[in-house]
Amino acid sequence: MSETTLKATAAASGASATERFLTDKTGTGTPAGGVDAERVNTLATEVITAVHDVIRRHQVTYEEYNVLKSWLISVGQDGEWPLFLDVWVEHAVEEVATAVRKGSKGTIEGPYYVPGAPTLPSVCTLPMRDGESGTPLLFRGQVTGVTGEPLAGALLEMWQADDEGLYAQFAPGIPEWNLRGSVATDDEGRFAVTTIQPAPYQIPTDGSCGRLIAAAGWHAWRPAHLHLKVSAPGHEPLTTQLYFTGDTHIADDVASAVKPELVLDPRPNGRGANEATYDFVLDPTA
Ligand code: MBD
Ligand code: FE
């Protein structure tokens, strides 16, 4: 891919992710939007104090302070706050939010979920372009409750990057719902979805997050992943991601979102596709 295409992609992704978040989640995430003043006081004071501690402990200079200040400004200008927060902060929030669950492990949502993907039957193919590149993947399984009861009519919302690591609606030139769908399970809670196995994913390297990564000598890779939200009436919705065994970045995901329970082991099925099975267990509504 050319340098120009990458640049266009990073900018478009940041702007779209910011707009998406403000459309879907304003009110839950804005300062003091429904959050009690005492709680805001406690959390804001502790975060600010933690920053002061770092400055004193490391004798931070004015030069470093100004580099940080201009970097923080550029994160906003690039529209990369959703990316920054979901890569480096969300995993801790997810851990706290799901600590008492008995059902399937989940992980972070990330910046690229879009509600309202086309509804598909339990046996289906995700919307894709003619000749969509990537190894075909048949992903099948069952959704149950914690006592093993099948959840008929559960909804499996799936979204994923294409073989170039690009997400529809966040990178230009991809059909609106490409590799996105809302799959309804059958009478036994089962599903069988044909898609493509996504490629390892590099977060945009040409924006503010990429500049932080380069400046710190980190890397920008996430292992290849499928994103899912699984929901059923009377149950806690599960937000998760599934990875692929043997992926080099399983052990060092830039977003710290891999858990051992979330790794698929797809096998060639003799019909030109890889096949992987995964069962989801949903907790009852708290
Ligand atoms: C992604 O595709 C993603 O899943 C996360 C968590 C962050 C950036 C891009
Ligand atoms: Fe992703």
Side-chain angles (χ1 to χ4, degrees):
M1 199 189 300
S2 75
E3 180 98 351
T4 343
T5 316
L6 273 174
K7 280 196 171 115
T9 299
S13 296
S16 311
T18 300
E19 193 183 297
R20 187 81 255 161
F21 178 79
L22 294 176
T23 305
D24 296 342
K25 304 223 168 85
T26 298
T28 61
T30 46
V35 182
D36 174 84
E38 196 43 50
R39 183 85 173 155
V40 175
N41 176 27
T42 303
L43 300 182
T45 301
E46 283 202 32
V47 169
I48 292 165
T49 304
V51 173
H52 302 159
D53 289 345
V54 171
I55 292 167
R56 293 194 184 102
R57 198 147 29 90
H58 295 277
Q59 297 285 289
V60 170
T61 64
Y62 254 105
E63 193 188 358
E64 289 166 333
Y65 171 70
N66 284 329
V67 168
L68 171 66
K69 191 167 169 180
S70 77
W71 183 77
L72 288 170
I73 292 167
S74 74
V75 175
Q77 288 171 335
D78 294 350
E80 285 200 341
W81 278 115
L83 183 65
F84 173 80
L85 289 165
D86 295 350
V87 167
W88 284 295
V89 180
E90 189 189 355
H91 66 90
V93 180
E94 192 276 338
E95 179 190 314
V96 170
T98 62
V100 300
R101 289 200 182 182
K102 295 186 169 54
S104 298
K105 285 279 180 218
T107 189
I108 65 174
E109 177 175 317
Y112 301 143
Y113 170 67
V114 182
T119 308
L120 302 165
S122 61
V123 178
C124 64
T125 299
L126 289 189
M128 63 176 79
R129 292 161 286 192
D130 288 343
E132 185 77 42
S133 66
T135 306
L137 174 70
L138 175 57
F139 171 64
R140 62 199 314 158
Q142 187 182 29
V143 183
T144 67
V146 289
T147 53
E149 73 281 16
L151 297 178
L155 198 66
L156 197 78
E157 293 176 90
M158 294 183 63
W159 69 105
Q160 65 175 91
D162 67 11
D163 199 37
E164 286 193 89
L166 302 175
Y167 284 87
Q169 301 188 38
F170 296 90
I174 302 176
E176 189 177 19
W177 296 104
N178 208 58
L179 301 173
R180 293 176 180 271
S182 304
V183 182
T185 61
D186 72 9
D187 291 350
E188 296 180 330
R190 296 184 196 281
F191 59 88
V193 182
T194 298
T195 180
I196 55 121
Q197 203 168 311
Y201 176 90
Q202 198 174 22
I203 67 165
T205 52
D206 61 319
S208 302
C209 292
R211 283 194 288 118
L212 170 62
I213 286 168
W218 303 338
H219 72 77
W221 291 95
R222 299 211 61 219
H225 55 280
L226 301 171
H227 288 273
L228 300 109
K229 275 184 189 282
V230 187
S231 57
H235 292 79
E236 291 292 334
L238 172 70
T239 300
T240 193
Q241 297 182 37
L242 296 173
Y243 307 94
F244 300 90
T245 194
D247 192 312
T248 8
H249 294 290
I250 292 260
D252 66 351
D253 178 11
V254 64
S256 309
V258 178
K259 299 177 188 180
E261 299 86 348
L262 304 180
V263 182
L264 297 172
D265 186 15
R267 298 295 168 94
N269 68 358
R271 280 169 280 131
N274 280 345
E275 198 164 319
T277 302
Y278 198 85
D279 297 327
F280 297 96
V281 179
L282 300 188
D283 282 68
T285 304

